[in-house]
């Protein structure tokens, strides 16, 4: 029986895709406008180049963001990008790391390394005021199961942490009872500015 894919996008693509379409259309309009204005002063080939320089980067960025998706099938993480799709087998990953990006909007993510590839799986993000967004329950459950199938101590520890996070979210517990929030808070309290990879001891301390 084929495993059904489970989306791992922290923010549902449906929420921002319409905005990206509008951004791309606006960029096309700005590029065309810049080209027409430039044509008043320079030749058409140069004006066309100006229009492309102004509009194309934003259009490409919007299209690339619109294509991005991340999902889990069985124990394999798939990440679709602008060009192609990357796959990493979670259970056999060479390295499994819990990483925190500190800042006014702190992000907690899972970093998987395997087969010469690196994949970041977003788990949660929190603001200074304590609000934020966390990976949905099914995503946490399936990701925890995939990690538990691995043989490394770190993968099992992170799996246990995700199970604790899952249980806290399921009962609508306060933020202080949620391991991912405590991870972000701990790193923020140390005034780090660079991404921090939590040690096995630090991960265990969050359980």
């Amino acid at each position: 029986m084929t495993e059904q894919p489970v989306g791992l996008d922290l923010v549902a693509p449906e929420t921002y895709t319409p905005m990206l379409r509008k951004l791309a259309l606006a960029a096309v309009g700005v590029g065309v406008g810049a080209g027409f204005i430039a044509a008043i002063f320079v030749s058409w080939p140069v004006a066309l180049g100006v229009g492309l320089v102004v509009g194309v980067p934003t259009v490409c960025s919007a299209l690339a963001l619109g294509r991005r998706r991340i999902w889990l099938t069985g124990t394999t993480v798939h990440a679709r990008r602008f060009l192609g799709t990357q796959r990493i087998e979670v259970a056999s990953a060479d390295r499994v790391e819990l990483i925190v990006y500190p800042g006014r909007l702190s992000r907690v993510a899972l970093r998987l390394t395997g087969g010469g590839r690196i994949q970041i799986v977003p788990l949660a993000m929190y603001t200074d005021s304590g609000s934020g967004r966390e990976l949905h329950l099914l995503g946490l459950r399936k990701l925890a199961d995939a990690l538990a199938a691995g043989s490394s101590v770190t993968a099992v520890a992170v799996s246990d942490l995700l199970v604790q996070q899952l249980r806290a979210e399921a009962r609508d517990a306060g933020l202080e009872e949620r391991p991912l929030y405590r991870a972000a808070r701990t790193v923020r309290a140390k005034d780090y500015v660079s991404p921090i990879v939590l040690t096995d001891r630090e991960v265990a301390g969050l359980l």
Side-chain angles (χ1 to χ4, degrees):
M1 183 176 178
T2 304
E3 289 271 2
Q4 291 297 314
V6 177
L8 297 178
D9 293 291
L10 196 56
V11 179
E14 294 78 12
T15 62
Y16 59 79
T17 300
M19 179 188 68
L20 292 176
R21 290 198 191 100
K22 292 178 181 178
L23 178 61
L25 290 174
V28 170
V30 171
V32 170
F36 275 116
I37 293 173
I40 299 174
F41 306 100
V42 297
S43 63
W44 271 107
V46 175
L48 178 61
V50 170
L52 292 175
V53 168
V54 171
V56 168
T58 302
V59 172
C60 289
S61 297
L63 292 176
L65 286 172
R67 275 188 54 81
R68 284 186 181 177
R69 299 287 188 278
I70 181 168
W71 68 94
L72 181 70
T73 303
T75 59
T76 303
V77 169
H78 307 254
R80 190 175 73 189
R81 300 173 178 177
F82 187 54
L83 298 174
T85 300
Q86 175 173 275
R87 299 172 181 82
I88 289 186
E89 178 63 33
V90 179
S92 59
D94 299 325
R95 295 178 67 183
V96 175
E97 299 167 305
L98 193 66
I99 185 168
V100 178
Y101 299 83
R104 298 189 65 180
L105 179 64
S106 298
R107 295 178 292 130
V108 187
L110 179 68
R111 183 163 68 186
L112 302 168
T113 304
R117 298 181 295 274
I118 297 175
Q119 181 59 51
I120 302 294
V121 180
L123 300 174
M125 56 184 179
Y126 302 101
T127 65
D128 288 341
S129 62
S131 61
R133 185 182 293 270
E134 298 163 326
L135 186 61
H136 57 85
L137 300 181
L138 182 58
L140 286 172
R141 176 76 266 175
K142 293 297 186 180
L143 197 53
D145 290 345
L147 288 166
S151 57
S152 75
V153 174
T154 303
V156 174
V158 174
S159 174
D160 290 342
L161 184 143
L162 295 184
V163 170
Q164 293 298 323
Q165 177 74 21
L166 169 68
R167 291 172 177 169
E169 288 188 32
R171 68 176 189 272
D172 199 24
L175 287 176
E176 293 297 333
E177 298 180 56
R178 304 186 183 207
L180 294 179
Y181 176 76
R182 293 202 301 273
R185 183 198 59 191
T186 299
V187 171
R188 188 187 295 130
K190 296 179 180 180
D191 290 329
Y192 290 127
V193 294
S194 300
I196 300 298
V197 176
L198 300 187
T199 64
D200 290 347
R201 177 175 294 182
E202 288 171 325
V203 171
L206 297 170
L207 297 173

